[in-house]
């Protein structure tokens, strides 16, 4: 199966998870980069509020043609029990008809996004995609 792993990582924890997934799935690894990288104090105030509201931030263009892949894996840190805003921006780029695997990375792991899981899956389905897996994982040390 032709797979791409798209990931956003602020501190590097999600990147480690994405790199491991890409190796085990023999997938292409693509970083999602925001147009503006806020310093940590602003991140907690501004971006966590955006995460709570399920909002997106501007991201740099992804040059890979996502429609060429059978499976798209999205990896994101958990902020305020929700996917990071960069994840929400990437969801808007999903081509219709794709299988999507979602991996949420947090310090607590299992169940960290229980409150936002339904809404996240709904946004992916609105893009015309199928969520084949959704899981919370504990961030690597």
């Amino acid at each position: 199966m032709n797979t791409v792993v798209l990931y956003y990582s602020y501190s590097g924890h999600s990147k480690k998870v994405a790199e491991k997934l890409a190796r085990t799935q023999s997938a292409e690894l693509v970083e999602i980069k925001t147009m503006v990288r806020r310093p940590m104090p602003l991140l907690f105030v501004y971006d966590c509020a955006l995460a709570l509201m399920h909002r997106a931030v501007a991201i740099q263009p992804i040059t890979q043609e996502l429609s060429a892949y059978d499976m798209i894996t999205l990896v994101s840190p958990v902020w305020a029990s929700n996917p990071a805003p960069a994840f929400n921006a990437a969801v808007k780029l999903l081509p219709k008809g794709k299988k999507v695997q979602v991996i949420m990375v947090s310090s607590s792991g299992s169940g960290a996004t229980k409150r936002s899981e339904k809404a996240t899956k709904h946004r992916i389905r609105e893009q015309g995609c199928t969520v084949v897996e959704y899981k919370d994982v504990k961030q690597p040390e």
Side-chain angles (χ1 to χ4, degrees):
M1 181 176 294
N2 191 12
T3 303
V4 63
V5 176
L6 296 175
Y7 75 93
Y8 171 72
S9 187
Y10 186 88
S11 63
H13 299 295
S14 296
K15 180 180 182 178
K16 289 178 186 176
V17 171
E19 288 172 338
K20 183 177 180 182
L21 278 169
R23 279 192 309 275
T24 60
Q25 296 178 353
S26 298
E28 184 171 356
L29 184 66
V30 177
E31 182 177 11
I32 300 166
K33 296 179 183 178
T34 56
M35 296 299 273
V36 176
R37 182 176 166 88
R38 292 183 226 297
M40 191 60 76
L42 284 177
L43 179 82
F44 282 119
V45 173
Y46 188 74
D47 287 64
C48 285
L50 291 176
L52 278 168
M53 295 183 288
H54 310 279
R55 298 277 173 82
V57 293
I59 60 173
Q60 295 179 13
I62 294 174
T63 58
Q64 286 74 9
E65 183 56 53
L66 298 179
S67 62
Y69 297 95
D70 302 315
M71 167 89 80
I72 298 171
T73 299
L74 293 170
V75 180
S76 173
V78 175
W79 294 351
S81 300
N82 289 276
F87 171 94
N88 297 327
V91 166
K92 293 178 181 182
L93 301 176
L94 294 172
K96 187 176 182 178
K98 294 299 169 184
K99 295 177 183 175
V100 178
Q101 176 186 34
V102 177
I103 309 295
M104 304 305 302
V105 182
S106 71
S107 58
S108 59
S110 183
T113 61
K114 206 47 130 176
R115 292 187 320 213
S116 66
E117 179 179 349
K118 184 177 178 179
T120 301
K121 287 179 176 179
H122 177 73
R123 285 193 306 278
I124 293 169
R125 284 193 300 270
E126 281 185 324
Q127 289 296 117
C129 298
T130 302
V131 178
V132 296
E133 181 178 26
Y134 182 104
K135 68 180 180 179
D136 293 314
V137 300
K138 187 165 176 55
Q139 70 187 27
E141 300 298 322

